[in-house]
Amino acid sequence: MSTPASVTTELPGVLAGDRPRRPARWVRRLLRNPLSMAGTTIVALLVGCALAPGLLAPFPEDAGPSVHFDRAAQPPGPAHWFGTDEVGRDIFSRTVFGARVSLALVVAVLGIAVGVGVPSGLVAGYWHGRWPSTALMRVTDVFLAVPPLALALAVTAAFRPDLGSAMLAISFTWWPWFTRLVYGEVLARREEPYVEAARALGQRDRVILFREILPNVISPVVVKATLDVSFVILLGSSLAFLGVGAQEPTPDWGAMVARGRTFLPGHWWMSTMPGLAIFVAVMGFNLLGDALRDALDVWER
Amino acid sequence: MNTRLARVLVASLVLLWTGLASAQGPPGKDIHFTYIEGQVVTTIDPAKHTDESSHHAIINMYDPLLYPKVAEGSMEPGPHVAESWRVTDGAKTYTFQIRKGIRFHDGKELTADDVVFSFRRMVALKKGFSWLWNDVLTAEQVRAVGPQTVVFTLNQPYAPFLSTLTQLFIVNRDQVLANKKPGTYGDAGDYGEAYLGDNVAGSGPYTKESWDRQTTLAMKAFPGYWRGWKPNQITRVTYRTVQEEATMRTLLLGGQADMIDQWRTPATFEQLKKTPGIVVDETPSAQLYHIELNTQRAPLSDIRVRKALAFAFDYKTAIDQIFKGAVPAKGPLPNRVYGHSEKVQAYAQNVEQAKKELADAGIKPAQLTFDYWFPTGNEIGRQIGLLFQANLAAIGIKLNLKETPWAQMVQASANAETNPDVASIFDTLKYPHPDSHTYGMYHPSAWGSYRTISRYKNDEVTKVLEQARATVDRDAQLGLYKRSQELVVQDYPSIYVANPLHRIAFRDYVKGYRYVGLLGYDVAFYDFTIDKK
Amino acid sequence: MREFLLRRLLQVVPTVLGLLVLIFVVSRVMPGDPVRLALGPEATRQQIAAYEEKLGLDRPLPSQFGHYVAGLLRGDLGESIRTYRDVRLDIRDFLPATVELVTVALVIAVCLGVPFGIVAAMYPNTWIDNLSRLVAVPGVALPRFWVGILLQVGLAYQLGLFPIVGRAVRAPQTITGLYLLDATLTGDGGALLDAVRHLALPALTLALPTLAQVARLTRAAMIDVLKRPFMLVHAAYGVPPRRLVWRYGLRNGLTSVLTLVGMTYGALIENAFLVEVVFSWPGLSAYGAAAVLAKDFNAVVGVTLVVGLSFVLANVLVDLLYGYVDPRIRHN
């Protein structure tokens, strides 16, 4: 069991010890394993695609309003690595730009899920036994009882089926998992000696929550968030496949797979290439998440 | 015991004898036909259908009062259940003679009472095509004045009236009432709503064999059909729903389907045309593809802005590359419909003119942003949107594409506040009369549907249309409808793009296919003959 | 045991109620004029108002909810505005297809995944273990709709080994609605073969990522169990290794596997949506997706309810099995 972070930082310098300037243990563990190296590389590449797609895409204008009917439906070749679609746009370039949509979705969804889930979990866990906590956990149970895809679809039916709705819908279904995780963690640490000590010293509840408990809860939340990235990408692309995704001409992997289906099996590349991107992205984040979990040495719940 | 047995024997012999005598089914062998449609059949109740697949089911299992003259290649209504009619009293009274000898599937003969019952049922249930007779007729104004005579008394003359009767399908009154459940329609109970949701009480050439709602409707020939049967007609039909384009194509190519529906992409038809053994029937359709512009909201309320959009659009690329061949639209009425004005011309692209119109209006292109709505999954709407987006970007206007479920588009067009500004719409002729695409789109009373997203209001046009509807003389009537088209086109309420070619693919042994421009009537399986060597 | 059972079942009630409220609110809040869509664009205001009144849409929400729940208890799920009949009948027609698909996928995932995981755990870091890693790691990442398309293009279109779409060309007589069962019960060999051929690709597509997941987690659980002291004790007593694993190890590792199965069933139910679309499988999700697009609110509520309830039931079942297997839990 690791020492609670707050205790070591409160102690005077000598007792805390001057920690040596080496990269943290978890970073070293991360880079040791070939699988985790692969994961890190893939994720780095994806982030690169999202931040600077213009550098990597040979035909960046094809991610915007442009049509070239003269080069429509070309199979993969030297000029167009992934081929072109039915209005002549380069699929490789569009796939690179598609990373942006997926990662934006991830940031939005996990941002909201953590932003809502962690505080509610803290509150529910700390004041466990009182009725607000129980009520909150019952609400969480209800949300957890509905399969995410079905609920997300039902929610998007209430709005226009575009990327914003997808973000909202998935966040709607995601926050309970974080609440439950944090709730469990808080329950476990509530009776720890250092918490009792803080209470005995007269610290207010709110301060205890944020100073003592929260820092120790961050680790599992980070791990879960990273592992969740791949699920969010999968869910997002599934929704886009079913029709709830970014609007044309913005490239969205799931939507590209769905539109390409009309042209199977003759023009197979229109569906298979973007699908490949989804697969690689999900796998990359999976590997990274696994590696991070091992490196941070947290018990799996 | 013996007498009882004897009685049973005699009874069965009699039944066998009468059965043999009356069963004049299609001679020759059993011919099975598989047709594939991209949408499910939502209902088989002839008072409720609106979509194409349900239409197909009903055309084959029921008979309407009048039928388009398909055999003559015309969409105009002709005799069917009604043998003849008289129009009197300033075109307000229609007296129909009902043909004798038409039998329903259960053997009962079709009479005037069934016609009256069917009409009253449609109007009472208020679904499907019942709106055709709003303001024109009520249930009491239809009466049977003899066993084979029905009189319709209209409130005022209504030019398209006869055309609308192609949607009045006759149900078996006795059969329906025998199976009625408690309901809100007085003596008629639920008007057989529950019963006709699953069963057929018709007189059409085919009867329902089985129906698995999500995928397959199986029909078989009704031996006692009043028009009789000839060799090589279809005896069994499997009407399947498959939603993937690629699969439908493969099934046709592989011989597991005999015909697939008309809504395939141009790319699919290109491929099928080149395949031996497959025929692609191609004729100009009575369908309008246009981009509607909301004339009630600024800046589109300014005709110069609308003209700018119309001049910016690349019609040639749309027709050649996206539709892969279509008839350029000349105004709102599809070119092949009778009553089309020769004076109306197609719009053409002129980028300089587009810029000039905006300059005249004193608007800088960068100030303009529009949302282009198109139905989810509509491939052509999407490609046209991408093209239009590129065209407008070239003159500095921003167009946002909004793929929207059809349900939402329908709902949005119901109110002025939520009405789309720019919408991609396919509009098929509702009934075989020019009134469908003039009054139905440009008279203010029709506002609130996907057909009237343009919310067009021009008092002169309104007057002309109302006059046209009330005019009895056919030539004068058509003259007025032509005038309405000429006036509308000058106002640019839509960007009229094309009358897409109606294409449908089937195997080469299918003969007798005829498309006259009306939805559904081309897939009447009774009209086909199969010529397999 | 009985007390545990009762307690657990009772806990389900507030969850289900909450589920109902959630779904009902979402569906009614859906802006949209499903009525107008159903009646056609030319419907007059009176026609629309009449139909709305018939469906009870003009009453305030809480009243509508009460009305709906009362109907539910009677077995009336409301009328679908697309098929014009009780949603209950629609669900009855389409649910068996999804149940069959999901169950077969579950069987594939568990019957192949668990042994795979156990074997990998028994021989860590050998070629078997590495093979399982090779399958498991990418396996979990495979988007189901993509896998479905790949299998469809490769095995169905190009090689013609399997039918491309659909559930059957020759359906057996309907007894339960589950084609495999019905064909067996009626002794219809042709229909059975037909059903199996149609089921193969969709079930495989649905099962693959789950199979990888199951194998991976079984391996982890078994490795954990195999390390425990009691295993060492049995080994010291001379129990042969295979028996050690399968008889002693598995029973203790069973709890983790059970949780897995419970989670899996739920995930399979909802992922069936995607597979059904790709293969035109006439199941509940195809019906549900169409309902969402048409804003057929009674149908949407009905479908989400059924899916949600099966989720809840699957979890309850798993908990009960937990209680049965691990005495510590039921006496807690």
Side-chain angles (χ1 to χ4, degrees), chain C residues 22 93 100 128 138 184 190 201 210 230 245 254 270 299 303 306 326:
Chain C
L22 181 65
D93 284 347
E100 193 173 37
I128 295 178
T184 320
L201 288 184
T210 312
F230 80 90
V245 170
L254 205 60
E270 78 150 350
V303 169
V306 168
D326 188 343

Side-chain angles (χ1 to χ4, degrees), chain B residues 31-105:
Chain B
I31 296 183
H32 183 207
F33 194 85
T34 303
Y35 174 89
I36 312 221
E37 174 81 26
Q39 305 280 356
V40 283
V41 172
T42 48
T43 181
I44 55 173
D45 184 332
K48 289 186 181 171
H49 70 282
T50 48
D51 56 37
E52 183 186 50
S53 42
S54 307
H55 217 105
H56 286 161
I58 286 156
I59 281 168
N60 285 287
M61 300 194 288
Y62 289 87
D63 284 313
L65 192 65
L66 299 182
Y67 202 88
K69 296 184 195 157
V70 175
E72 293 163 44
S74 158
M75 62 168 74
E76 289 202 59
H80 199 65
V81 168
E83 203 169 29
S84 64
W85 57 89
R86 271 182 2 254
V87 182
T88 53
D89 188 24
K92 289 203 287 196
T93 307
Y94 289 77
T95 310
F96 292 92
Q97 282 303 118
I98 306 302
R99 197 183 296 268
K100 285 179 79 67
I102 299 180
R103 291 203 174 271
F104 286 109
H105 299 156

Side-chain angles (χ1 to χ4, degrees), chain B residues 313-357:
Chain B
F313 186 76
D314 183 354
Y315 299 89
K316 188 167 187 316
T317 303
I319 289 183
D320 292 341
Q321 303 286 358
I322 299 180
F323 283 97
K324 304 248 194 286
V327 173
K330 293 185 184 163
L333 189 65
N335 301 3
R336 70 173 293 170
V337 181
Y338 64 97
H340 190 279
S341 166
E342 312 78 30
K343 293 199 199 137
V344 173
Q345 290 306 313
Y347 291 163
Q349 185 183 31
N350 186 334
V351 180
E352 289 313 309
Q353 185 66 21
K355 293 187 194 162
K356 185 171 172 303
E357 296 285 344

Side-chain angles (χ1 to χ4, degrees), chain A residues 141-275:
Chain A
D141 278 343
V142 168
F143 275 84
L144 287 173
V146 187
L149 187 62
L151 188 58
L153 269 180
V155 169
T156 54
F159 305 99
R160 179 79 67 75
D162 58 18
L163 194 58
S165 302
M167 284 179 184
L168 205 68
I170 303 178
S171 322
F172 202 58
T173 63
W174 219 263
W175 65 266
W177 301 94
F178 283 95
T179 307
R180 185 177 262 195
L181 174 70
V182 171
Y183 173 74
E185 294 286 329
V186 171
L187 271 185
R189 291 172 213 272
R190 222 167 43 135
E191 312 302 328
E192 290 287 323
Y194 65 93
V195 173
E196 272 203 57
R199 248 195 241 124
L201 287 171
Q203 288 276 33
R204 283 177 301 156
D205 286 336
R206 210 182 311 157
V207 176
I208 299 178
L209 209 49
F210 281 98
R211 276 261 213 93
E212 312 289 344
I213 300 184
L214 182 59
N216 296 298
V217 156
I218 294 247
S219 228
V221 168
V222 167
V223 169
K224 176 163 175 52
T226 318
L227 284 172
D228 277 354
V229 172
S230 51
F231 286 115
V232 172
I233 295 181
L234 260 182
L235 188 57
S237 56
S238 302
L239 275 178
F241 177 76
L242 292 173
V244 185
Q247 286 288 347
E248 282 272 36
T250 311
D252 181 330
W253 293 334
M256 287 166 76
V257 175
R259 293 192 196 113
R261 278 177 72 222
T262 325
F263 305 99
L264 290 175
H267 304 315
W268 51 271
W269 56 91
M270 296 183 195
S271 267
T272 48
M273 295 315 193

Side-chain angles (χ1 to χ4, degrees), chain A residues 145-147 149 157-158 272 275 279 290, chain C residues 19 31 138 146 216 270 295 307 311:
Chain A
V146 187
L149 187 62
T272 48
F279 172 52
D290 277 351
Chain C
L19 186 71
W146 186 58
R216 197 160 164 233
E270 78 150 350
K295 293 193 187 291
V307 177
F311 238 48

Side-chain angles (χ1 to χ4, degrees), chain B residues 52 65 96 115 269 299 305 406 416 424 496 518:
Chain B
E52 183 186 50
L65 192 65
F96 292 92
V115 175
F269 284 117
V305 175
W406 183 237
S424 157
Y496 304 107
L518 281 181

